[in-house]
Amino acid sequence: MRVPSRSSWKAPTVRFALNTLHAVADALAGGPGHTLFEAHSAALLVAGGSGITYALGLLDDLLAKHAEGSSRLRAIELVWTTAEPASAMSLLPTFRRLLRPRASPYGALAASVVVHYTRAPLHPLPTPDMLPAGLTLRPGRLNIKRCL
């Protein structure tokens, strides 16, 4: 990590980031390259709009690797920002499948999905008890500092 000398970051924040955080930033067309997400202890996947397609595929793959025992991941959080909360409702069957508890002899894996929506819902949202465990709906824009 390269921090410019005139950075607004304070020195303790920079030390914390350099000592404890390993991050991979990926753009739509970039792909993960040689990154092995399953080699890390935790993963934070962030998607916006139609980027959920790639993120769901990656989450599915990481969950399968954990079930096989070829992953060190112990926590995965997928954060998705979308305009309409109805978009999340159409993906409920997929979220249910991905977030269902899985037995694995290789240790526990905590998977969660947080959906941020930026427009007021046109229809009533489901109550939290109607959502699968691990899925959270939040109004408003994503605050990346809160995720980290």
Side-chain angles (χ1 to χ4, degrees):
M1 172 183 249
R2 185 173 170 266
V3 180
S5 60
R6 292 181 177 224
S7 172
S8 62
W9 286 19
K10 305 287 185 220
T13 305
V14 172
R15 277 196 299 276
F16 170 78
L18 291 174
N19 292 328
T20 62
L21 183 64
H22 175 77
V24 176
D26 178 24
L28 178 64
H34 298 292
T35 303
L36 297 173
F37 294 105
E38 63 273 11
H40 300 279
S41 60
L44 173 64
L45 310 174
V46 181
S50 64
I52 190 65
T53 307
Y54 176 78
L56 286 175
L58 181 57
L59 177 61
D60 192 25
D61 184 56
L62 292 173
L63 292 171
K65 287 183 180 178
H66 174 72
E68 296 168 0
S70 60
S71 173
R72 293 182 55 215
L73 282 170
R74 295 297 173 250
I76 304 173
E77 182 171 70
L78 169 60
V79 180
W80 178 36
T81 299
T82 184
E84 302 286 341
S87 301
M89 298 304 98
S90 65
L91 287 174
L92 270 179
T94 303
F95 291 141
R96 284 188 206 288
R97 181 179 59 81
L98 292 173
L99 294 173
R100 75 175 188 273
R102 301 162 191 253
S104 175
Y106 306 104
L109 174 64
S112 61
V113 176
V114 180
V115 179
H116 291 266
Y117 56 92
T118 57
R119 292 190 184 151
L122 297 175
H123 306 286
L125 293 174
T127 59
D129 59 318
M130 294 172 63
L131 298 175
L135 176 63
T136 306
L137 298 176
R138 292 193 180 139
R141 296 176 188 228
L142 167 67
N143 181 349
I144 196 68
K145 289 181 183 178
R146 185 176 178 190
C147 292
L148 296 175

